[in-house]
Amino acid sequence: MSENSTPRVGSDRVKRGLAEMLKGGVIMDVVTPEQARIAEDAGAVAVMALERVPADIRSQGGVARMSDPDLIEAIIAEVSIPVMAKARIGHFVEAQVLQALNVDYIDESEVLSPADYVNHIDKWDFTVPFVCGATNLGEALRRINEGAAMIRSKGEAGTGDVSEATKHIRTINAEIARLTSLSKDELYVAAKELQAPYDLVVEVAETGKLPVVLFTAGGVATPADAAMMIQLGADGVFVGSGIFKSGNPAARAAAVVKATTFYDDPAVIAEVSRGLGEAMVGINVADVPAPHRLAERGW
Amino acid sequence: MSGLVIPGGESSVMDKLARTFGVADVVRRRIAEGLPVYGTCAGMIMLADTVLDGIRGQQSFGGLDVAVRRNAFGAQTESFEADLEVPELGDPPVHAVFIRAPVVAELGPRARALAALPDGTVVAVEQGALLGTSFHPEMTDELRFHRYFLDKVAVSSAGSSRP
């Protein structure tokens, strides 16, 4: 790698590096500056600024788009932790706008209505880093090939049902484990089957992990949900509707942070789970008709 | 424990969890007793006696006689890599990665600057057994800062093993 002496912004290392700094943490969806403040006070490592949490997008329907710049700027002004914002899949102009607004990370997200059913955003073109969702290893590697600097395994956002998140983090990790067991000459077909670039497949087979940080998202509603995701191998969690759709957001947010840190200490998880009030009501993913399942968006 | 490294991350979260779970007082006491500690980025914030632009109520472990400004360069799009002259480490320059990085805004008389950006902003400091850098040597193959810290650990261990 050539390293010249003039300062360089937007490098791969700098983009992936911010995600490294978020490891072990909780990223929370917020829709107002007040919620962002609560999240920061509770110990969030970053916030996701959006107009509607997934549970509301789900219940209200319609086309979900990038949030109002005024809202994003107000949230950036309110907190000092990193602020992420969502662009529609394939909507590179929304991404350009978010970069111009100085967000710290863009989530090219299936929670919003896709803008392009064929192509994702060419993320190498941007200085700001991107996080993208994935249900399996092939999808994760395709996103990384397009320049994603962080992956989040998809769950079924806005349901409070963690089963899809569990399925996808398990799938990704199982597929990684399988790659590490293959011999070198089997990786060509593995790349074909995963529909992923051969070089990335070789890299994962050699290192036994993704080349970027892997968080999990979608349906995480309790401290125990968050801890389970970390025990299953996630580097951290996104909590969307789970916090601000619950009875006591400040307490639940702080509890999820503590449980994520002490993910392997059931005594701590038990302690922080007490007296949190009502969790978000929740919808069983099995009751969501297939056309309304967000995790199936993206390819 | 003969040395402690506090890596990058979110300093406000480190502070909150360290206080909630009783780690902060222990670390403070060990720093006062001379434990070698190296803090990179958020870790340097945790070692600073004064934190500027912290979140409401943010505290640090302290130990370094400096005021560190959190997130001094702005948003992530301002994060950068650059070569940095570090006289103590000689040639070649250190390739340094700054991610939403803090800087040393005020250097107290007990702390010593080890490196600065071309505009004079101090980004690496030491004070006795304590070492702090705004940047992340752990993100490159650069090992000289780690060796520099291990020397402090060796000196400290030799001192404490005396009868």
Side-chain angles (χ1 to χ4, degrees):
Chain A
M1 187 177 300
S2 77
E3 300 180 333
N4 58 36
S5 57
T6 48
R8 210 150 58 91
V9 298
S11 66
D12 218 17
R13 188 143 55 192
V14 162
K15 288 174 168 179
R16 294 178 179 188
L18 178 55
E20 294 280 345
M21 299 310 144
L22 304 177
K23 273 168 82 168
V26 182
I27 300 168
M28 301 180 192
D29 279 3
V30 297
V31 299
T32 64
E34 293 70 34
Q35 289 186 354
R37 159 73 49 202
I38 291 169
E40 184 176 69
D41 284 344
V45 291
V47 291
M48 178 75 68
L50 67 178
E51 272 173 355
R52 294 184 288 171
V53 293
D56 289 335
I57 292 173
R58 187 177 290 289
S59 65
Q60 294 163 7
V63 174
R65 311 179 179 90
M66 178 188 80
S67 297
D68 185 325
D70 281 345
L71 174 75
I72 293 168
E73 283 187 339
I75 288 171
I76 290 173
E78 183 67 25
V79 295
S80 60
I81 55 176
V83 175
M84 302 182 165
K86 289 183 194 289
R88 282 179 268 178
I89 289 173
H91 206 313
F92 52 88
V93 174
E94 283 188 351
Q96 290 164 4
V97 170
L98 292 174
Q99 175 165 287
L101 292 172
N102 270 328
V103 303
D104 294 297
Y105 241 94
I106 294 175
D107 183 2
E108 186 181 15
S109 178
E110 70 282 359
V111 168
L112 305 184
S113 308
D116 186 332
Y117 280 92
V118 179
N119 305 290
H120 282 67
I121 297 169
D122 179 359
K123 293 164 275 285
W124 299 113
D125 277 353
F126 291 80
T127 305
V128 68
F130 282 74
V131 56
C132 289
T135 57
N136 57 53
L137 180 59
E139 194 176 354
L141 295 180
R142 288 192 291 278
R143 295 297 85 76
I144 293 167
N145 192 46
E146 296 157 0
M150 179 180 187
I151 295 292
R152 54 174 173 73
S153 67
K154 293 178 187 171
E156 195 50 42
T159 60
D161 179 347
V162 82
S163 62
E164 290 292 293
T166 307
K167 179 168 87 185
H168 297 142
I169 189 82
R170 279 191 189 276
T171 300
I172 291 171
N173 283 327
E175 288 174 327
I176 291 173
R178 177 173 175 273
L179 278 191
T180 64
S181 71
L182 296 181
S183 61
K184 198 163 157 288
D185 62 350
E186 293 171 318
L187 294 177
Y188 299 100
V189 170
K192 186 192 80 175
E193 288 171 352
L194 287 168
Q195 299 177 54
Y198 172 73
D199 290 346
L200 285 173
V201 168
V202 171
E203 185 177 346
V204 171
E206 284 172 355
T207 61
K209 59 187 183 64
L210 288 182
V212 302
V213 166
L214 171 65
F215 270 48
T216 195
V220 174
T222 69
D225 287 350
M228 182 165 81
M229 292 304 120
I230 309 294
Q231 286 200 28
L232 285 172
D235 292 321
V237 292
F238 284 83
V239 185
S241 319
I243 288 173
F244 289 100
K245 285 287 170 191
S246 75
N248 186 344
R252 184 166 294 269
V256 170
V257 168
K258 289 171 189 164
T260 302
T261 302
F262 291 91
Y263 64 90
D264 57 356
D265 188 336
V268 171
I269 300 167
E271 191 53 39
V272 303
S273 299
R274 293 174 201 277
L276 294 180
E278 257 176 85
M280 69 178 284
V281 174
I283 312 165
N284 290 307
V285 173
D287 299 336
V288 178
H292 298 291
R293 292 189 191 164
L294 305 177
E296 290 168 14
R297 293 174 174 172
W299 35 90
Chain B
M1 183 171 69
S2 52
L4 178 67
V5 175
I6 308 176
E10 177 46 54
S11 61
S12 62
V13 180
M14 290 181 183
D15 164 44
K16 204 172 311 282
L17 291 169
R19 279 192 279 149
T20 305
F21 290 94
V23 176
D25 289 337
V26 179
V27 174
R28 268 191 206 109
R29 191 185 76 235
R30 295 296 304 270
I31 288 172
E33 291 167 359
L35 179 75
V37 186
Y38 177 20
T40 69
C41 195
M44 181 173 82
I45 296 173
M46 295 306 297
L47 288 179
D49 281 346
T50 305
V51 179
L52 305 174
D53 292 346
I55 75 164
R56 187 171 57 185
Q58 182 167 351
Q59 299 177 17
S60 62
F61 300 142
L64 284 173
D65 182 15
V66 295
V68 165
R69 185 173 305 284
R70 193 164 154 262
N71 193 20
F73 296 92
Q76 166 64 11
T77 46
E78 304 298 325
S79 294
F80 64 100
E81 337 184 8
D83 286 339
L84 193 66
E85 300 287 346
V86 186
E88 200 71 41
L89 301 178
D91 279 334
V94 168
H95 190 71
V97 183
F98 295 82
I99 297 175
R100 284 177 52 97
V103 300
V104 177
E106 293 162 33
L107 188 71
R110 285 172 294 139
R112 172 174 173 254
L114 289 176
L117 295 172
D119 68 0
T121 305
V122 175
V123 291
V125 284
E126 68 173 345
Q127 181 179 330
L130 303 179
L131 179 64
T133 59
S134 300
F135 49 91
H136 296 276
E138 74 273 19
M139 296 196 63
T140 62
D141 297 330
E142 175 61 65
L143 294 177
R144 286 175 292 170
F145 267 101
H146 295 90
R147 288 206 190 93
Y148 195 76
F149 176 64
L150 287 177
D151 288 345
K152 290 182 183 296
V153 174
V155 168
S156 161
S157 300
S160 61
S161 65
R162 265 184 238 133

